[in-house]
Amino acid sequence: MSTTRHHLAKRPLAALAMGAAAMLALSACGGGSESGESGESGAAASGGFESSDSAYDAIVNGGPVADDATIEGNEWAKAIKDAGTLKVGGTETSTLFSNLDPATGVVTGFDAGLTQLLARYILGDASKTALTQVSVDTREELLVNGQVDIVAATYSITPERLERIDFAGPYYSSQAGILVKADNTDITGIDDLAGKTVATQAGSTGETVLAQYAPDATVLALPDNAQAVQSVEQGRADAYVIDQTLLLNNVVASPDTFKVVGEPFGDADLYGLGVPKGSDATEFVNEFLKTIEDDGTWLSLWKQTIQSKTDIETEPTPPAIGEGIN
């Protein structure tokens, strides 16, 4: 996303810092602190996916379907086809990426949509996913133990994770950002974090980026997004640093409580889809990603799940498949 990394964050900064009063109502990295199955996605009477967002449904139900030979030629995909369900490790609380609608029991968002499109690609039905909630601590374990087929949870590609699992993609990228309370005037950028208590998610790339760019900050490492946000709201932390795209989830959810300040910083965090180590899943999922990027489905999903809720005007280009991995 090299031509858009800056714009992806820069456009909402001004609007969000001013309160984001004009943002649209929610319809859809933090992960749940516990793992638990949520069951299958919503299914319409016709057997396709159905949520409260008909435009979103049209995107995931209109995605491409792989031919039989493509499925039969891939061990990972064939096992999913035989099982009849794509087992996904993901979240239910990421407003823009994977959010559970309690009224319908259906999860929607950019990450969720990718897995629903993948289910359609393999099974011919976007509703055939079973979600298990993940946290930073459980993502690799669920893949290693075979409890899920794939993890889609704003999952940063790192050398340490690549020792235990493989990644397909990347499919998205984001630099780090700073979230503070809406009435905070002391912190306006990275230089103001010196001497401050800064929350981030334990085991995330937020710890690395703080060590490099804010070495004089006191880091408060917490288990998940919800606790990091709560620490800022309660005043136990002055700021929260992690991928700016993830911080926007919290601002969209509570525009009167939080704001994102300063420019994005650090290297772009590349999000990949976690798959079992040594399987032929990477090749299959990369071909799927290339297909939906080339036919416009990826961009349509981005517009519906992220652009419409953050007022970002610049359309992103997905990062090159294999970047950060090969």
Side-chain angles (χ1 to χ4, degrees), residues 268-282:
D269 217 355
L270 297 169
Y271 299 163
L273 297 169
V275 294
K277 187 106 181 139
S279 72
D280 57 2
T282 301

Side-chain angles (χ1 to χ4, degrees), residues 192-234:
D192 298 322
L193 296 181
K196 301 292 197 299
T197 298
V198 183
T200 192
Q201 293 186 43
S204 75
T205 51
E207 291 185 305
T208 305
V209 92
L210 281 169
Q212 181 176 356
Y213 290 93
D216 295 326
T218 299
V219 178
L220 178 61
L222 295 168
D224 54 35
N225 175 75
Q227 293 187 51
V229 171
Q230 187 179 61
S231 72
V232 175
E233 186 172 15
Q234 294 176 344

Side-chain angles (χ1 to χ4, degrees), residues 26-256:
L26 303 180
S27 63
C29 135
S33 59
E34 299 178 355
S35 297
E37 286 199 11
S38 302
E40 293 191 0
S41 301
S46 63
F49 182 90
E50 185 175 36
S51 70
S52 59
D53 184 343
S54 60
Y56 178 92
D57 299 349
I59 293 168
V60 298
N61 287 324
V65 178
D67 58 40
D68 291 341
T70 299
I71 302 297
E72 290 295 320
N74 186 271
E75 183 179 349
W76 178 82
K78 185 178 184 302
I80 293 167
K81 184 69 175 282
D82 291 344
T85 303
L86 175 66
K87 296 181 295 183
V88 177
T91 71
E92 293 184 346
T93 57
S94 181
T95 305
L96 301 176
F97 283 83
S98 185
N99 190 70
L100 176 68
D101 182 346
T104 63
V106 176
V107 179
T108 58
F110 191 77
D111 280 355
L114 287 177
T115 62
Q116 289 147 7
L117 283 163
L118 181 59
R120 175 169 170 79
Y121 191 69
I122 298 172
L123 300 163
D125 189 336
S127 73
K128 297 298 184 181
T129 66
L131 178 68
T132 296
Q133 292 188 74
V134 299
S135 69
V136 170
D137 294 329
T138 63
R139 291 180 292 198
E140 284 97 74
E141 292 301 323
L142 290 170
L143 281 168
V144 170
N145 295 334
Q147 293 173 256
V148 298
D149 301 310
I150 193 166
V151 170
T154 55
Y155 202 1
S156 301
I157 299 169
T158 68
E160 294 76 18
R161 291 167 182 166
L162 282 166
E163 292 179 2
R164 301 194 69 200
I165 66 167
D166 288 336
F167 280 101
Y171 66 92
Y172 207 82
S173 69
S174 174
Q175 290 178 279
I178 305 168
L179 177 139
V180 297
K181 292 183 71 173
D183 60 358
N184 186 311
T185 58
D186 294 332
I187 298 174
T188 60
I190 187 69
D191 293 340
D192 298 322
L193 296 181
K196 301 292 197 299
T197 298
V198 183
T200 192
Q201 293 186 43
S204 75
T205 51
E207 291 185 305
T208 305
V209 92
L210 281 169
Q212 181 176 356
Y213 290 93
D216 295 326
T218 299
V219 178
L220 178 61
L222 295 168
D224 54 35
N225 175 75
Q227 293 187 51
V229 171
Q230 187 179 61
S231 72
V232 175
E233 186 172 15
Q234 294 176 344
R236 293 185 290 115
D238 300 297
Y240 172 23
V241 167
I242 205 163
D243 299 355
Q244 189 176 64
T245 303
L246 304 186
L247 296 178
L248 295 178
N249 287 299
N250 303 305
V251 179
V252 171
S254 303
D256 295 329

